[in-house]
């Protein structure tokens, strides 16, 4: 009988083999020691979940590291998450775990440094809808709603900037239409006849309280940001909400309605309660007015002066939602839609931000029109194409300028030329070419101009500004000290908020909020106001982390949260009044704090009728721990509530589900994590019981640690913070590169996390690490 060697003896052998010692191949003794170590700690595929995930060590246990780095990277990931060996098998201690990790990851990192493989981003990558919208904003000083012009982009691996290499004929036609419309808006051309738009208010918005951005003392209504094409008169028409019988909702007494432009009152209307069906039809027929408005962006508000009201004394907190005619009808009238039409009697395009951006210098006469047109277009093309302007770039736009100028105005010529720029592939696509003469598979640094685009689309989801482009044209941007200075400048810029609204909204699944409506029979107090407050709370936390450059670990355990009255009442937190969001210190008894306690996350990981420990557990594994479970086997049915006794709790129903051997492997990983969040219902409220039974929130992680409730889950995550930081870094790198992050990128990610540890994982340290990393600065030739 062989005597089993100690863990440290086996570890020493493993280090020698994997680190490439003087002996290229292990001796028989070393090979046996490694095999025994792997067998002792269950690295062989006794674990069917590992097999499902594509991790099979049986064929590579004693082979060289160089031939199988992708498999050893999976080993590193499993070891880091303590998912290997399985929790019920014999396991090494923490010291030995760290030593084993260092023994395997060290050689992998050295190999990556000696033979960098940055992967390859696509040569042509189309601007997605958000990037297009932001690029128009920064190029032309013009705010547009790209969702009305372009279709939504397909999401892949959690982000919509990955599968964007195609441009179908249908999509090209949409871009052509968008370019013509945008160029008219930017130049102030209203078209042949007065146009207009109608803005409809979501039907599930409660309009009983103040709307942010409107004057204090008002309630309900809507605030519209609208770009008026020319100086002139515009007609504003308001319609009120009606029920299915076409009766105006909530109009039981006299009310006033105000129309405001940039917070200044322009018109006031009196609303009287209808006495019959006929008066219901005409109750809002007089809500129209013509206003003289200057060209450019303005904020149009439609709202009601708030009437004083006494709070009825009730044993229970009254419902906050009032929009459902049959369950919780409106107390007061509400705005259904607002239409803006015009201009009538237009007097010219005026001096709008977009015209000031475009017309840097006006021609003094016909003789210098060509020179001024070339100057205007050169400035626009440089920003639009993200590089210096070549003579060929001006050829087609100038031809179109001359065509439109003949018989028309100078502005008409610029408008047509601008439309051509906006449909040019150099604008619509981010293009990264291999250096001339590079051999297939060779690795090169991207140019400074490509680096500028990578930075700006990563941090701003938009085109580079003049400062970034100038540094890139000089070849200075790639210098480490210049790059670091630019990253910090860009993070301090307001445009970095796209990291919240674009990156984080996709990473955390906040984009799904608009598509989710809980069952109103079970959650009657839910409305769009609460949905908006959920989103605002999470985005405010992320924005604070970025703006104040705090540790990303504060996302899990902050010392304050952002609340307004609506959200505070939902959470049961007293003494918060008004629509304004403000920082509120975290109190233990409130059960609030980080991402895992926020209504947005808890609702997007629930069903309409109940919580889902499976979805919540999977969400935590994927987005917080970075260890997603394997995909489910084919033809495995979902858990059906009507096939299992309805009196059972969710935990008991899932126990029934796990009896299916095909489901057990993955659910063993996901379910215990989700169970820890069971004290929160499907809309994020804290609960101690469910249907009269105490909530069992005992949970665990795949590494075998068990705990009680969200407090225990947060502590377990913060005990090993590198897991969350690594997961967030992977998500950031995926978003930054616009491609799937793979095993080849793991050494760079480990380096970023190691360096950020020195700064307590401040957000800027992760971004600086990514901007300086091999995958971000280099590219493999094809």
């Amino acid at each position: 009988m062989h005597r089993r060697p100690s863990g440290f003896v086996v570890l020493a052998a493993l280090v020698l083999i994997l680190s490439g010692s003087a002996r290229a191949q292990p001796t028989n003794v070393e090979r046996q020691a490694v095999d025994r170590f792997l067998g002792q700690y269950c690295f062989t595929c006794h674990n069917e979940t590992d097999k499902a995930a594509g991790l099979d060590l049986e064929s590579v246990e004693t082979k060289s590291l160089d031939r199988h780095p992708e498999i050893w990277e999976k080993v590193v990931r499993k070891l880091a998450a303590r998912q290997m060996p399985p929790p019920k098998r014999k396991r090494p201690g923490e010291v030995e775990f760290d030593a084993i990790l260092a023994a395997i990851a060290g050689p992998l990192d050295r190999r990556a440094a000696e033979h960098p493989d940055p992967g390859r981003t696509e040569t042509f990558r189309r601007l997605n809808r958000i990037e297009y919208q932001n690029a128009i904003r920064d190029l032309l000083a013009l705010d547009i709603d790209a969702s009305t012009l372009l279709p939504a982009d397909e999401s892949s691996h959690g982000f919509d900037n990955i599968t964007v290499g195609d441009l179908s004929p249908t999509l090209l036609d949409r871009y052509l239409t968008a370019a013509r419309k945008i160029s008219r808006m930017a130049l102030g051309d209203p078209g042949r006849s007065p146009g207009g738009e109608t803005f409809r208010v979501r039907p599930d918005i409660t309009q009983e309280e103040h709307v942010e951005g409107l004057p204090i003392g008002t309630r309900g209504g809507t605030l519209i940001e609208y770009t008026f094409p020319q100086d002139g008169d515009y007609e504003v028409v308001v319609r009120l909400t009606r029920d299915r019988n076409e009766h105006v909702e909530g109009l039981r007494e006299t009310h006033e309605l105000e129309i405001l432009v940039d917070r200044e009152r322009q018109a006031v209307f009196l609303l009287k309660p209808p006495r019959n069906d006929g008066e219901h039809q005409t109750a809002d027929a007089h809500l129209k007015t013509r206003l003289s408005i200057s060209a450019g962006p303005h904020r149009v508000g439609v709202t009601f002066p708030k009437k004083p009201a006494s709070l009825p004394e009730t044993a229970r907190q009254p419902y906050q939602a009032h929009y459902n005619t049959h369950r919780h009808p409106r107390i007061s009238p509400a705005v259904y839609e607002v239409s803006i039409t015009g201009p009538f009697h237009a007097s010219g395009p005026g001096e709008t931000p977009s015209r000031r951006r475009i017309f840097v210098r006006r021609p003094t006469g016909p003789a210098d029109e060509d020179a001024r047109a070339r100057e205007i277009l050169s400035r626009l093309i440089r920003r639009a194409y993200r590089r210096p302007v070549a003579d060929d770039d001006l050829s087609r736009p100038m031809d179109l300028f001359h065509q439109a100028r003949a018989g028309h105005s100078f502005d008409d010529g610029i408008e047509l030329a601008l439309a051509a720029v906006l449909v040019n592939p150099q604008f619509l696509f981010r293009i990264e070419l291999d250096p001339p003469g590079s051999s297939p598979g060779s690795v090169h640094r991207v140019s400074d101009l490509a680096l500028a685009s990578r930075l700006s689309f990563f941090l701003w989801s938009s085109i580079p500004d003049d400062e970034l482009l100038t540094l890139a044209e000089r070849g200075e941007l790639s210098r480490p000290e210049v790059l670091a200075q630019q990253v910090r400048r860009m993070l301090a810029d307001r445009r970095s908020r796209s990291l919240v609204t674009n990156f984080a909204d996709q990473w955390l699944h906040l984009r799904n909020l608009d598509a989710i409506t809980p069952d109103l029979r079970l959650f009657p107090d839910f409305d769009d106001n609460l949905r908006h407050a959920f989103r605002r709370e999470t985005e405010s936390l992320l924005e604070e982390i970025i703006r104040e450059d705090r540790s990303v670990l504060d996302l899990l355990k902050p010392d304050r949260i952002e609340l307004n009255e609506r959200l505070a009442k939902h959470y049961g937190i007293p003494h918060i009044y008004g629509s304004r969001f403000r920082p509120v210190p975290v109190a233990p008894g409130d059960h609030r704090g980080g991402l895992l306690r926020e209504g947005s996350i808890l609702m997007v990981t629930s069903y309409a009728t109940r919580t889902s420990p499976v979805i919540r557990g999977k969400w935590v594994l994927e987005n917080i721990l970075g260890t997603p479970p394997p995909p489910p086997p084919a033809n495995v049915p979902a858990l059906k509530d009507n096939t299992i006794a309805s009196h059972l709790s969710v935990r008991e129903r899932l126990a029934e589900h796990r009896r299916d051997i095909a489901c057990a492997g993955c659910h063993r990983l996901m379910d215990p994590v989700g169970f820890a969040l069971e004290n929160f219902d499907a809309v994020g409220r804290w609960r101690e019981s469910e249907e009269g039974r105490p909530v069992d929130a005992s949970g665990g992680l795949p590494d075998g640690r068990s705990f009680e409730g969200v407090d225990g889950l947060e502590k377990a995550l913060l005990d090993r913070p590198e897991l969350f930081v690594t997961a967030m870094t992977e998500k950031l790198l995926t978003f930054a590169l616009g491609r799937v992050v793979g095993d080849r990128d793991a050494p760079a990610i480990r380096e970023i996390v190691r360096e950020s540890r020195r700064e307590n994982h401040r957000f800027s340290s992760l971004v600086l690490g990514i901007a300086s990393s091999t995958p971000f600065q280099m590219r493999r030739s094809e």
Side-chain angles (χ1 to χ4, degrees):
M1 181 176 180
H2 296 290
R3 190 167 75 100
R4 181 174 290 176
S6 72
F8 287 105
V9 172
V10 177
L11 176 61
L14 190 63
V15 171
L16 285 171
I17 293 168
L18 295 181
S19 62
S21 61
R23 294 187 298 276
Q25 296 296 327
T27 65
N28 289 335
V29 173
E30 290 167 338
R31 189 187 304 276
Q32 292 170 6
V34 173
D35 287 344
R36 190 174 292 117
F37 179 86
L38 298 178
Q40 176 183 2
Y41 289 130
C42 195
F43 285 2
T44 55
C45 276
H46 296 298
N47 187 336
E48 293 300 324
T49 303
D50 290 341
K51 286 184 177 178
L55 177 57
D56 185 355
L57 291 173
E58 291 174 344
S59 60
V60 298
E61 287 170 358
T62 57
K63 294 181 181 178
S64 86
L65 175 70
D66 286 344
R67 291 203 299 271
H68 299 283
E70 72 285 351
I71 291 183
W72 287 107
E73 286 292 358
K74 290 183 174 66
V75 172
V76 169
R77 183 179 287 270
K78 288 278 187 179
L79 286 170
R82 305 298 191 259
Q83 294 183 16
M84 176 185 284
K88 294 183 180 179
R89 296 290 298 260
K90 180 177 175 62
R91 293 162 66 87
E94 284 298 309
V95 173
E96 196 169 1
F97 257 127
D98 292 339
I100 296 167
L101 268 172
I104 302 176
L108 289 169
D109 293 345
R110 290 195 296 275
R111 178 182 180 278
E114 294 170 4
H115 307 285
D117 182 5
R120 180 177 176 82
T121 55
E122 295 292 335
T123 300
F124 293 91
R125 293 180 53 220
R126 175 178 50 81
L127 302 191
N128 65 22
R129 192 163 71 178
I130 292 295
E131 292 168 343
Y132 183 87
Q133 175 175 298
N134 292 345
I136 295 298
R137 177 200 65 198
D138 295 339
L139 177 67
L140 302 175
L142 180 68
D143 288 318
I144 65 167
D145 181 3
S147 66
T148 64
L149 302 172
L150 301 171
D153 299 286
E154 180 183 350
S155 182
S156 175
H157 293 83
F159 297 101
D160 62 6
N161 65 343
I162 294 179
T163 54
V164 286
D166 63 323
L167 185 62
S168 66
T170 302
L171 185 56
L172 176 59
D173 186 65
R174 297 288 291 271
Y175 275 114
L176 288 168
T177 303
R180 289 192 291 267
K181 181 174 182 178
I182 290 167
S183 59
R184 288 198 302 268
M185 291 174 63
L187 272 296
D189 180 359
R192 296 180 180 179
S193 59
E197 284 188 68
T198 297
F199 302 88
R200 189 162 293 174
V201 180
R202 282 187 64 122
D204 57 347
I205 289 181
T206 297
Q207 298 190 35
E208 305 301 331
E209 299 297 336
H210 175 252
V211 173
E212 188 174 11
L214 290 172
I216 298 297
T218 62
R219 63 102 194 147
T222 187
L223 184 64
I224 301 165
E225 295 187 359
Y226 188 75
T227 299
F228 293 83
Q230 289 200 331
D231 296 343
D233 295 340
Y234 292 84
E235 185 173 77
V236 180
V237 179
V238 181
R239 288 195 65 205
L240 302 178
T241 58
R242 287 173 163 81
D243 61 21
R244 65 181 62 182
N245 297 318
E246 288 298 312
H247 289 181
V248 176
E249 295 182 319
L251 188 52
R252 301 177 186 88
E253 58 179 320
T254 302
H255 290 265
E256 286 186 345
L257 181 139
E258 298 180 347
I259 295 177
L260 308 99
V261 176
D262 298 329
R263 296 177 67 89
E264 293 293 328
R265 182 187 296 174
Q266 303 293 323
V268 181
F269 301 92
L270 188 66
L271 301 174
K272 296 181 179 179
R275 292 170 294 183
N276 52 53
D277 289 349
E279 290 189 0
H280 272 287
Q281 295 298 318
T282 60
D284 54 4
H286 63 297
L287 302 183
K288 62 175 65 176
T289 186
R290 280 201 181 186
L291 307 174
S292 180
I293 302 177
S294 61
H298 294 278
R299 307 181 86 189
V300 178
V302 178
T303 187
F304 306 87
K306 186 174 177 62
K307 291 190 172 187
S310 59
L311 184 67
E313 294 186 8
T314 60
R316 301 176 61 184
Q317 176 176 296
Y319 285 124
Q320 302 298 305
H322 293 282
Y323 66 89
N324 187 300
T325 302
H326 298 286
R327 292 192 178 90
H328 306 291
R330 296 188 187 276
I331 301 172
S332 308
V335 172
Y336 173 67
E337 68 180 21
V338 178
S339 299
I340 301 175
T341 308
F344 303 95
H345 313 298
S347 58
E351 281 300 310
T352 64
S354 58
R355 287 179 62 84
R356 287 194 293 270
R357 176 70 58 85
I358 293 168
F359 294 111
V360 290
R361 206 149 40 127
R362 302 285 305 190
T364 56
D368 67 343
E369 283 191 352
D370 267 26
R372 296 291 78 79
R374 292 182 70 88
E375 180 181 1
I376 288 169
L377 293 173
S378 292
R379 288 173 63 92
L380 291 173
I381 288 172
R382 175 176 176 267
R383 289 288 309 280
Y385 298 174
R386 285 94 63 190
R387 58 170 175 77
V389 181
D391 289 339
D392 287 347
D393 296 326
L394 284 166
S395 176
R396 180 61 177 164
M398 285 300 297
D399 287 345
L400 293 172
F401 166 77
H402 291 135
Q403 291 177 24
R405 177 66 183 92
H408 298 281
S409 68
F410 180 83
D411 289 12
D412 291 331
I414 294 297
E415 180 184 315
L416 187 60
L418 173 59
V421 171
L422 297 182
V423 294
N424 191 291
Q426 298 285 335
F427 172 66
L428 292 179
F429 285 86
R430 295 170 55 187
I431 303 173
E432 292 186 355
L433 301 174
D434 295 334
S438 60
S439 58
S442 63
V443 173
H444 61 271
R445 287 194 171 274
V446 300
S447 68
D448 276 46
L449 287 169
L451 184 60
S453 282
R454 286 190 174 198
L455 266 183
S456 63
F457 282 102
F458 171 30
L459 301 181
W460 292 344
S461 295
S462 185
I463 57 178
D465 63 2
D466 281 327
E467 182 173 337
L468 201 61
L469 268 180
T470 300
L471 289 169
E473 289 168 348
R474 293 175 182 167
E476 299 176 6
L477 183 59
S478 55
R479 288 165 45 192
E481 67 278 9
V482 175
L483 182 67
Q485 186 272 331
Q486 285 301 303
V487 167
R488 294 188 184 281
R489 177 184 73 86
M490 295 173 74
L491 285 175
D493 191 283
R494 61 176 178 81
R495 286 169 285 189
S496 67
R497 193 172 187 275
S498 69
L499 286 168
V500 176
T501 58
N502 195 14
F503 162 70
D505 274 12
Q506 296 184 80
W507 167 39
L508 300 176
H509 301 184
L510 299 187
R511 284 192 178 180
N512 296 347
L513 278 172
D514 288 337
I516 296 174
T517 299
D519 189 322
L520 296 180
R521 292 170 297 181
L522 301 175
F523 306 101
D525 207 20
F526 184 85
D527 57 10
D528 189 66
N529 310 58
L530 189 58
R531 182 189 286 114
H532 174 76
F534 281 167
R535 182 191 298 274
R536 177 69 177 270
E537 176 192 20
T538 304
E539 289 184 348
S540 294
L541 175 60
L542 289 152
E543 196 167 3
E544 272 192 15
I545 299 295
I546 296 172
R547 186 178 63 249
E548 299 176 8
D549 197 17
R550 287 158 49 187
S551 170
V552 297
L553 298 177
D554 285 352
L555 290 170
L556 299 178
K557 198 76 172 176
D559 58 2
R560 61 185 184 272
I561 55 177
E562 293 269 332
L563 299 176
N564 69 351
E565 181 178 358
R566 181 74 175 87
L567 189 55
K569 285 184 175 179
H570 182 72
Y571 287 162
I573 299 175
H575 312 309
I576 307 294
Y577 302 104
S579 62
R580 180 180 63 87
F581 278 79
R582 79 294 308 265
V584 178
V586 171
D590 294 335
H591 308 293
R592 298 296 155 183
L595 293 177
L596 300 180
R597 302 168 182 263
E598 294 189 342
S600 60
I601 305 301
L602 295 163
M603 191 172 81
V604 298
T605 54
S606 295
Y607 292 120
T609 57
R610 62 169 176 84
T611 61
S612 173
V614 178
I615 298 176
R616 287 179 174 179
K618 183 174 183 287
W619 185 92
V620 172
L621 292 178
E622 286 183 345
N623 299 291
I624 303 299
L625 286 170
T627 56
N635 302 320
V636 174
L639 174 64
K640 292 187 171 121
D641 290 346
N642 60 357
T643 63
I644 298 174
S646 60
H647 68 275
L648 296 179
S649 67
V650 173
R651 180 184 290 268
E652 291 167 329
R653 296 181 195 188
L654 287 171
E656 293 286 326
H657 197 55
R658 285 196 300 276
R659 290 182 182 179
D660 186 337
I661 192 170
C663 304
C666 295
H667 281 273
R668 200 162 39 235
L669 301 175
M670 299 182 292
D671 295 0
V673 182
F675 287 145
L677 300 175
E678 274 297 279
N679 279 124
F680 297 102
D681 70 9
V683 292
R685 295 176 303 191
W686 181 263
R687 60 183 181 177
E688 301 284 352
S689 62
E690 181 185 13
E691 296 182 356
R693 303 169 63 181
V695 169
D696 181 0
S698 58
L701 288 175
D703 61 10
R705 287 180 291 171
S706 58
F707 40 76
E708 185 69 29
V710 65
D711 290 330
L713 176 56
E714 285 177 343
K715 183 179 184 304
L717 294 173
L718 292 171
D719 282 346
R720 303 197 53 234
E722 69 280 358
L723 290 178
F724 172 65
V725 178
T726 298
M728 185 173 180
T729 302
E730 288 178 350
K731 295 293 184 179
L732 278 166
L733 187 59
T734 300
F735 179 77
L737 296 176
R739 68 165 173 80
V740 180
V741 169
D743 296 324
R744 69 169 67 90
D745 305 299
I749 291 170
R750 285 193 289 272
E751 176 65 18
I752 294 167
V753 175
R754 277 195 300 268
E755 291 299 316
S756 74
R757 188 182 300 123
R758 300 176 183 176
E759 299 186 39
N760 192 29
H761 302 301
R762 289 182 181 275
F763 183 81
S764 65
S765 67
L766 296 184
V767 173
L768 283 165
I770 289 172
S772 306
S773 68
T774 295
F776 195 82
Q777 295 217 350
M778 304 181 78
R779 187 170 182 261
R780 190 178 65 238
S781 297
E782 191 173 52

